[in-house]
Amino acid sequence: MTNLTTGGCLCGALRYEANSPPTYAGYCFCNDCRKASGGGFIAFMGYPASALRITGDAVTHTLAQSDGRKSERNFCPRCGGLVYGGIRGETDEHTIYAGTLDDPAHFKPAIAIFNSQRPAWVPLPEGLKVFERMPG
Ligand SMILES: [Zn+2]
Ligand SMILES: [Zn+2]
């Protein structure tokens, strides 16, 4: 038995494993996540960097937010799969994009953020704590 949560990009070149449950998990409906993913939202899980091991090359796309913070999204250079957020070796915390899980059942969403930007064609799952923008 292992408690490892594993996942990675479509081609398998960019991989991760986590040895603890995520500290938070949910959906982001912001316009940036919509554009970055090409879908209606990004499903994310937050992990302390210390709980994660990420292997393989990544291309980082950095976008400045209106509040001055930056979003760093990391893609596999081979297949283009969007895998995680944050800068490896620099940020204390990473978001892992839940669609990359090997076993998607590991994703247990609890929150929805940026609900104010959710397109009408994306249904809001039930049972979540909903934030119209970024919480707190
Ligand atoms: Zn790949
Ligand atoms: Zn977002």
Side-chain angles (χ1 to χ4, degrees):
M1 270 304 280
T2 170
N3 288 322
L4 281 183
T5 300
T6 61
C9 67
L10 181 59
C11 78
L14 179 55
R15 300 277 306 161
Y16 60 84
E17 51 185 51
N19 61 16
S20 71
T23 47
Y24 54 84
Y27 299 85
C28 184
F29 295 111
C30 83
N31 292 330
D32 293 347
C33 285
R34 177 171 55 80
K35 283 277 188 178
S37 67
F41 57 90
I42 281 180
F44 61 86
M45 302 178 297
Y47 287 97
S50 58
L52 274 179
R53 197 167 75 90
I54 301 171
T55 54
D57 290 336
V59 174
T60 304
H61 177 261
T62 302
L63 189 71
Q65 303 293 314
S66 54
D67 62 5
R69 293 176 314 133
K70 285 184 189 152
S71 295
E72 286 113 356
R73 294 182 172 85
N74 298 273
F75 302 80
C76 171
R78 287 180 58 195
C79 70
L82 180 63
V83 178
Y84 69 96
I87 301 287
R88 223 186 305 181
E90 290 184 21
T91 39
D92 297 334
E93 182 181 270
H94 289 286
T95 45
I96 292 286
Y97 304 134
T100 63
L101 284 167
D102 292 333
D103 178 358
H106 282 286
F107 179 56
K108 306 265 195 309
I111 61 174
I113 66 173
F114 285 101
N115 187 50
S116 57
Q117 295 177 18
R118 179 173 53 86
W121 44 266
V122 179
L124 182 64
E126 285 182 25
L128 303 177
K129 184 159 197 224
V130 177
F131 299 89
E132 289 306 311
R133 303 193 59 78
M134 190 75 180

Short mmCIF file of all heavy atoms in Angstrom, two decimals, residues 73-111:
data_model
loop_
_atom_site.label_atom_id
_atom_site.label_comp_id
_atom_site.label_asym_id
_atom_site.label_seq_id
_atom_site.Cartn_x
_atom_site.Cartn_y
_atom_site.Cartn_z
N ARG A 73 2.19 29.05 -14.70
CA ARG A 73 1.61 27.78 -15.11
C ARG A 73 2.65 27.00 -15.89
O ARG A 73 3.30 27.55 -16.78
CB ARG A 73 0.36 28.00 -15.97
CG ARG A 73 -0.79 28.65 -15.21
CD ARG A 73 -2.01 28.80 -16.11
NE ARG A 73 -3.18 29.24 -15.37
CZ ARG A 73 -3.46 30.51 -15.09
NH1 ARG A 73 -2.65 31.47 -15.52
NH2 ARG A 73 -4.54 30.83 -14.40
N ASN A 74 2.76 25.73 -15.56
CA ASN A 74 3.83 24.91 -16.14
C ASN A 74 3.26 23.84 -17.06
O ASN A 74 2.37 23.07 -16.66
CB ASN A 74 4.63 24.26 -15.01
CG ASN A 74 5.31 25.30 -14.13
OD1 ASN A 74 6.40 25.73 -14.42
ND2 ASN A 74 4.63 25.71 -13.08
N PHE A 75 3.82 23.80 -18.26
CA PHE A 75 3.38 22.87 -19.30
C PHE A 75 4.50 21.89 -19.64
O PHE A 75 5.67 22.23 -19.54
CB PHE A 75 3.07 23.62 -20.60
CG PHE A 75 2.05 24.69 -20.48
CD1 PHE A 75 2.38 25.93 -19.96
CD2 PHE A 75 0.75 24.47 -20.88
CE1 PHE A 75 1.42 26.93 -19.84
CE2 PHE A 75 -0.20 25.45 -20.77
CZ PHE A 75 0.13 26.69 -20.25
N CYS A 76 4.11 20.74 -20.12
CA CYS A 76 5.09 19.82 -20.68
C CYS A 76 5.52 20.33 -22.05
O CYS A 76 4.68 20.59 -22.91
CB CYS A 76 4.49 18.43 -20.82
SG CYS A 76 5.57 17.32 -21.74
N PRO A 77 6.84 20.47 -22.29
CA PRO A 77 7.29 20.97 -23.59
C PRO A 77 7.05 19.98 -24.73
O PRO A 77 7.09 20.37 -25.90
CB PRO A 77 8.78 21.23 -23.39
CG PRO A 77 9.17 20.42 -22.19
CD PRO A 77 7.94 20.27 -21.35
N ARG A 78 6.83 18.73 -24.41
CA ARG A 78 6.62 17.74 -25.47
C ARG A 78 5.16 17.68 -25.91
O ARG A 78 4.85 17.69 -27.09
CB ARG A 78 7.07 16.36 -25.01
CG ARG A 78 8.59 16.22 -24.94
CD ARG A 78 9.00 14.84 -24.49
NE ARG A 78 8.48 13.81 -25.37
CZ ARG A 78 8.44 12.52 -25.06
NH1 ARG A 78 8.88 12.10 -23.89
NH2 ARG A 78 7.96 11.64 -25.90
N CYS A 79 4.25 17.56 -24.94
CA CYS A 79 2.84 17.35 -25.31
C CYS A 79 1.97 18.56 -25.03
O CYS A 79 0.81 18.59 -25.43
CB CYS A 79 2.28 16.12 -24.59
SG CYS A 79 2.06 16.34 -22.81
N GLY A 80 2.49 19.57 -24.33
CA GLY A 80 1.70 20.76 -24.06
C GLY A 80 0.76 20.63 -22.88
O GLY A 80 0.03 21.56 -22.57
N GLY A 81 0.77 19.49 -22.22
CA GLY A 81 -0.13 19.29 -21.08
C GLY A 81 0.17 20.26 -19.95
O GLY A 81 1.32 20.46 -19.57
N LEU A 82 -0.87 20.86 -19.40
CA LEU A 82 -0.77 21.81 -18.29
C LEU A 82 -0.80 21.01 -17.00
O LEU A 82 -1.75 20.25 -16.76
CB LEU A 82 -1.95 22.76 -18.37
CG LEU A 82 -2.12 23.87 -17.35
CD1 LEU A 82 -0.95 24.84 -17.43
CD2 LEU A 82 -3.42 24.59 -17.61
N VAL A 83 0.25 21.11 -16.18
CA VAL A 83 0.39 20.17 -15.06
C VAL A 83 0.34 20.85 -13.69
O VAL A 83 -0.35 20.38 -12.80
CB VAL A 83 1.68 19.35 -15.20
CG1 VAL A 83 1.88 18.41 -14.01
CG2 VAL A 83 1.66 18.54 -16.50
N TYR A 84 1.06 21.95 -13.51
CA TYR A 84 1.11 22.52 -12.17
C TYR A 84 1.41 24.01 -12.22
O TYR A 84 1.87 24.54 -13.22
CB TYR A 84 2.13 21.80 -11.28
CG TYR A 84 3.58 22.01 -11.66
CD1 TYR A 84 4.34 22.98 -11.03
CD2 TYR A 84 4.16 21.24 -12.67
CE1 TYR A 84 5.68 23.18 -11.38
CE2 TYR A 84 5.48 21.45 -13.02
CZ TYR A 84 6.23 22.41 -12.38
OH TYR A 84 7.54 22.62 -12.74
N GLY A 85 1.14 24.66 -11.07
CA GLY A 85 1.41 26.08 -10.92
C GLY A 85 2.51 26.31 -9.91
O GLY A 85 2.71 25.51 -8.99
N GLY A 86 3.22 27.42 -10.08
CA GLY A 86 4.31 27.76 -9.17
C GLY A 86 5.65 27.45 -9.80
O GLY A 86 5.73 26.79 -10.82
N ILE A 87 6.71 27.97 -9.19
CA ILE A 87 8.07 27.78 -9.72
C ILE A 87 8.78 26.73 -8.88
O ILE A 87 8.93 26.88 -7.67
CB ILE A 87 8.88 29.10 -9.65
CG1 ILE A 87 8.18 30.19 -10.47
CG2 ILE A 87 10.29 28.88 -10.15
CD1 ILE A 87 8.28 30.01 -11.95
N ARG A 88 9.19 25.69 -9.56
CA ARG A 88 9.89 24.60 -8.86
C ARG A 88 11.15 25.14 -8.20
O ARG A 88 11.93 25.84 -8.83
CB ARG A 88 10.26 23.52 -9.87
CG ARG A 88 10.00 22.13 -9.35
CD ARG A 88 10.51 21.09 -10.33
NE ARG A 88 9.97 21.23 -11.68
CZ ARG A 88 10.29 20.40 -12.67
NH1 ARG A 88 11.12 19.40 -12.45
NH2 ARG A 88 9.78 20.57 -13.87
N GLY A 89 11.34 24.80 -6.93
CA GLY A 89 12.53 25.24 -6.21
C GLY A 89 12.42 26.64 -5.65
O GLY A 89 13.32 27.09 -4.95
N GLU A 90 11.35 27.35 -5.96
CA GLU A 90 11.20 28.72 -5.45
C GLU A 90 9.95 28.87 -4.59
O GLU A 90 10.03 29.39 -3.48
CB GLU A 90 11.13 29.72 -6.61
CG GLU A 90 12.44 29.89 -7.33
CD GLU A 90 12.36 30.97 -8.40
OE1 GLU A 90 11.47 31.83 -8.34
OE2 GLU A 90 13.20 30.93 -9.32
N THR A 91 8.80 28.47 -5.10
CA THR A 91 7.57 28.68 -4.34
C THR A 91 7.43 27.64 -3.23
O THR A 91 7.88 26.50 -3.38
CB THR A 91 6.34 28.63 -5.26
OG1 THR A 91 6.54 27.61 -6.23
CG2 THR A 91 6.14 29.93 -5.98
N ASP A 92 6.82 28.06 -2.13
CA ASP A 92 6.61 27.16 -1.00
C ASP A 92 5.45 26.21 -1.24
O ASP A 92 5.26 25.25 -0.50
CB ASP A 92 6.28 27.97 0.27
CG ASP A 92 7.43 28.88 0.67
OD1 ASP A 92 8.58 28.55 0.33
OD2 ASP A 92 7.17 29.91 1.30
N GLU A 93 4.66 26.53 -2.23
CA GLU A 93 3.43 25.80 -2.45
C GLU A 93 3.19 25.68 -3.95
O GLU A 93 3.56 26.57 -4.70
CB GLU A 93 2.28 26.61 -1.81
CG GLU A 93 0.94 25.97 -1.90
CD GLU A 93 -0.11 26.87 -1.28
OE1 GLU A 93 -0.34 26.74 -0.07
OE2 GLU A 93 -0.67 27.72 -1.99
N HIS A 94 2.61 24.57 -4.34
CA HIS A 94 2.26 24.40 -5.75
C HIS A 94 0.79 24.05 -5.86
O HIS A 94 0.22 23.38 -5.00
CB HIS A 94 3.06 23.26 -6.38
CG HIS A 94 4.51 23.57 -6.58
ND1 HIS A 94 4.97 24.42 -7.56
CD2 HIS A 94 5.61 23.14 -5.92
CE1 HIS A 94 6.29 24.51 -7.48
NE2 HIS A 94 6.71 23.74 -6.50
N THR A 95 0.20 24.48 -6.97
CA THR A 95 -1.09 23.92 -7.33
C THR A 95 -0.84 22.84 -8.37
O THR A 95 -0.04 23.01 -9.29
CB THR A 95 -2.04 24.98 -7.92
OG1 THR A 95 -1.32 25.76 -8.86
CG2 THR A 95 -2.60 25.88 -6.82
N ILE A 96 -1.51 21.74 -8.17
CA ILE A 96 -1.49 20.66 -9.16
C ILE A 96 -2.84 20.69 -9.85
O ILE A 96 -3.88 20.83 -9.20
CB ILE A 96 -1.28 19.30 -8.45
CG1 ILE A 96 0.14 19.22 -7.86
CG2 ILE A 96 -1.58 18.14 -9.39
CD1 ILE A 96 1.25 19.02 -8.86
N TYR A 97 -2.85 20.58 -11.17
CA TYR A 97 -4.11 20.60 -11.90
C TYR A 97 -4.68 19.19 -11.90
O TYR A 97 -4.05 18.24 -12.39
CB TYR A 97 -3.89 21.17 -13.30
CG TYR A 97 -3.26 22.55 -13.24
CD1 TYR A 97 -2.20 22.91 -14.04
CD2 TYR A 97 -3.74 23.49 -12.30
CE1 TYR A 97 -1.61 24.17 -13.94
CE2 TYR A 97 -3.14 24.75 -12.20
CZ TYR A 97 -2.09 25.08 -13.02
OH TYR A 97 -1.50 26.32 -12.91
N ALA A 98 -5.86 19.08 -11.31
CA ALA A 98 -6.39 17.76 -10.94
C ALA A 98 -6.66 16.87 -12.15
O ALA A 98 -6.67 15.64 -12.02
CB ALA A 98 -7.66 17.93 -10.11
N GLY A 99 -6.84 17.48 -13.31
CA GLY A 99 -7.04 16.67 -14.50
C GLY A 99 -5.84 15.82 -14.86
O GLY A 99 -5.95 14.90 -15.69
N THR A 100 -4.69 16.10 -14.26
CA THR A 100 -3.48 15.34 -14.57
C THR A 100 -3.30 14.12 -13.67
O THR A 100 -2.33 13.37 -13.84
CB THR A 100 -2.22 16.22 -14.41
OG1 THR A 100 -2.11 16.63 -13.04
CG2 THR A 100 -2.29 17.45 -15.29
N LEU A 101 -4.20 13.92 -12.71
CA LEU A 101 -4.06 12.77 -11.80
C LEU A 101 -4.11 11.46 -12.57
O LEU A 101 -4.91 11.29 -13.50
CB LEU A 101 -5.21 12.78 -10.78
CG LEU A 101 -5.10 13.81 -9.65
CD1 LEU A 101 -6.44 13.92 -8.94
CD2 LEU A 101 -3.99 13.42 -8.69
N ASP A 102 -3.29 10.51 -12.14
CA ASP A 102 -3.40 9.17 -12.72
C ASP A 102 -4.74 8.54 -12.33
O ASP A 102 -5.37 7.86 -13.13
CB ASP A 102 -2.25 8.29 -12.21
CG ASP A 102 -0.91 8.74 -12.76
OD1 ASP A 102 -0.87 9.34 -13.86
OD2 ASP A 102 0.11 8.51 -12.08
N ASP A 103 -5.14 8.77 -11.09
CA ASP A 103 -6.45 8.30 -10.63
C ASP A 103 -7.28 9.53 -10.25
O ASP A 103 -7.08 10.11 -9.19
CB ASP A 103 -6.28 7.40 -9.41
CG ASP A 103 -7.63 6.93 -8.87
OD1 ASP A 103 -8.68 7.33 -9.42
OD2 ASP A 103 -7.62 6.14 -7.91
N PRO A 104 -8.18 9.94 -11.12
CA PRO A 104 -8.91 11.19 -10.86
C PRO A 104 -9.74 11.16 -9.60
O PRO A 104 -10.17 12.20 -9.10
CB PRO A 104 -9.78 11.36 -12.11
CG PRO A 104 -9.78 10.06 -12.81
CD PRO A 104 -8.55 9.31 -12.39
N ALA A 105 -9.96 9.99 -9.02
CA ALA A 105 -10.73 9.90 -7.78
C ALA A 105 -10.01 10.55 -6.60
O ALA A 105 -10.62 10.80 -5.56
CB ALA A 105 -11.05 8.45 -7.46
N HIS A 106 -8.70 10.83 -6.77
CA HIS A 106 -7.97 11.51 -5.70
C HIS A 106 -8.40 12.96 -5.53
O HIS A 106 -8.05 13.60 -4.55
CB HIS A 106 -6.46 11.46 -5.96
CG HIS A 106 -5.83 10.15 -5.64
ND1 HIS A 106 -5.60 9.72 -4.35
CD2 HIS A 106 -5.40 9.15 -6.43
CE1 HIS A 106 -5.05 8.52 -4.37
NE2 HIS A 106 -4.92 8.15 -5.63
N PHE A 107 -9.10 13.50 -6.50
CA PHE A 107 -9.56 14.89 -6.42
C PHE A 107 -10.86 14.96 -5.64
O PHE A 107 -11.86 14.35 -6.03
CB PHE A 107 -9.76 15.45 -7.82
CG PHE A 107 -10.25 16.88 -7.86
CD1 PHE A 107 -9.56 17.89 -7.22
CD2 PHE A 107 -11.41 17.20 -8.57
CE1 PHE A 107 -10.01 19.22 -7.28
CE2 PHE A 107 -11.86 18.52 -8.63
CZ PHE A 107 -11.16 19.52 -7.99
N LYS A 108 -10.83 15.68 -4.49
CA LYS A 108 -12.01 15.84 -3.64
C LYS A 108 -12.28 17.34 -3.48
O LYS A 108 -11.84 17.95 -2.51
CB LYS A 108 -11.77 15.22 -2.26
CG LYS A 108 -11.32 13.75 -2.30
CD LYS A 108 -12.51 12.83 -2.14
CE LYS A 108 -12.17 11.40 -1.80
NZ LYS A 108 -11.20 10.76 -2.66
N PRO A 109 -12.97 17.93 -4.44
CA PRO A 109 -13.13 19.39 -4.41
C PRO A 109 -13.99 19.87 -3.26
O PRO A 109 -14.98 19.22 -2.90
CB PRO A 109 -13.81 19.69 -5.75
CG PRO A 109 -14.50 18.42 -6.13
CD PRO A 109 -13.65 17.31 -5.57
N ALA A 110 -13.60 21.00 -2.68
CA ALA A 110 -14.35 21.59 -1.57
C ALA A 110 -14.74 23.04 -1.84
O ALA A 110 -15.68 23.54 -1.24
CB ALA A 110 -13.53 21.52 -0.28
N ILE A 111 -14.02 23.71 -2.72
CA ILE A 111 -14.29 25.12 -2.95
C ILE A 111 -14.40 25.42 -4.44
O ILE A 111 -13.94 24.63 -5.29
CB ILE A 111 -13.18 26.03 -2.34
CG1 ILE A 111 -11.81 25.72 -2.97
CG2 ILE A 111 -13.12 25.88 -0.83
CD1 ILE A 111 -10.69 26.68 -2.51
#
